[in-house]
Amino acid sequence: ILMVTALNSGCAPKTAIVQETAVLTSEESVSEQPAEETAVSESKGALNLLDLDGERFRLSDYRGKKIYMKFWASWCTVCLAGMEELEALSQDPDRDFEVVTVVSPGYGNEMNLEDFRKWFAKQEHHNFRVLIDENGEIAQWYGIRGYPTAFFIDPNGAVKVFQGDLRNDMIRKVFGSEMMNGETSEGD
């Protein structure tokens, strides 16, 4: 109950606050050759994006690890208000999960990629990984309806989806809960 109450804020309608799905179920490989510098290649929901530094991020490379993935937008005031805290979380050496964010230049109200790069470089808090979902292919695939939206991915690839703002203490509580630390597929 506490978690749902804390999730009632964001830059979109507050529908579907919590849902459960699986991301890492496909064994099919994803194309290694992007069509453009930041092209999205996906097969059955596999995530394969470049970040702002041109580094490849494949969700399948993180099997067995916990991941906090935040979908956000430059126009979302709630997202912008949380950038300092997001930066602190991503820089915390004691966390036991990966932190990545996803922005969709050219999709919805988001600026184009070139303008986003310039804008982001000028932000005070920008020391966290930003994956580029140009034109929103992944956001559409996963049904992102509002910002911010957080994916909590457990070591088995199961996902908990939360829409709205989450403070770092709540993110750590979710990752520390039984919901994210159940039995692994290897049957501990």
Side-chain angles (χ1 to χ4, degrees):
I1 296 174
L2 174 62
M3 199 172 304
V4 173
T5 303
L7 299 175
N8 271 338
S9 64
C11 294
K14 293 158 186 72
T15 58
I17 292 177
V18 179
Q19 69 185 55
E20 192 170 336
T21 186
V23 172
L24 300 177
T25 58
S26 174
E27 293 298 322
E28 295 183 23
S29 64
V30 177
S31 171
E32 297 291 325
Q33 299 297 324
E36 299 176 1
E37 178 184 321
T38 58
V40 176
S41 299
E42 50 85 11
S43 173
K44 295 186 180 181
L47 195 78
N48 182 0
L49 299 171
L50 293 177
D51 65 18
L52 282 174
D53 296 326
E55 298 293 321
R56 174 80 47 207
F57 176 90
R58 288 177 200 83
L59 192 56
S60 60
D61 291 346
Y62 291 84
R63 290 181 199 271
K65 297 181 180 179
K66 296 183 277 188
I67 302 169
Y68 174 70
M69 182 177 296
K70 181 177 184 174
F71 288 80
W72 65 283
S74 64
W75 50 263
C76 170
T77 56
V78 173
C79 300
L80 299 180
M83 286 178 71
E84 180 177 6
E85 195 165 10
L86 179 61
E87 182 178 65
L89 181 67
S90 71
Q91 302 297 314
D92 180 358
D94 295 328
R95 64 180 160 71
D96 65 344
F97 52 90
E98 300 295 321
V99 176
V100 295
T101 69
V102 181
V103 172
S104 301
Y107 175 65
N109 294 327
E110 189 57 75
M111 59 187 84
N112 67 44
L113 179 56
E114 182 180 338
D115 290 342
F116 179 81
R117 284 181 186 277
K118 291 175 188 174
W119 172 85
F120 189 71
K122 294 177 185 175
Q123 300 308 300
E124 181 179 356
H125 303 288
H126 63 271
N127 293 311
F128 49 87
R129 192 168 188 188
V130 179
L131 306 179
I132 301 300
D133 173 25
E134 196 159 17
N135 299 315
E137 293 175 38
I138 295 297
Q140 292 174 62
W141 180 269
Y142 288 120
I144 303 300
R145 296 181 188 168
Y147 298 100
T149 296
F151 282 22
F152 289 83
I153 306 170
D154 78 8
N156 298 316
V159 178
K160 306 291 187 231
V161 179
F162 296 88
Q163 184 178 347
D165 187 43
L166 292 171
R167 308 289 300 178
N168 287 351
D169 60 338
M170 181 61 77
I171 294 166
R172 287 185 182 91
K173 284 180 185 176
V174 170
F175 276 116
S177 71
E178 286 184 27
M179 173 174 62
M180 296 304 293
N181 294 298
E183 278 189 32
T184 63
S185 58
E186 281 118 79
D188 295 351

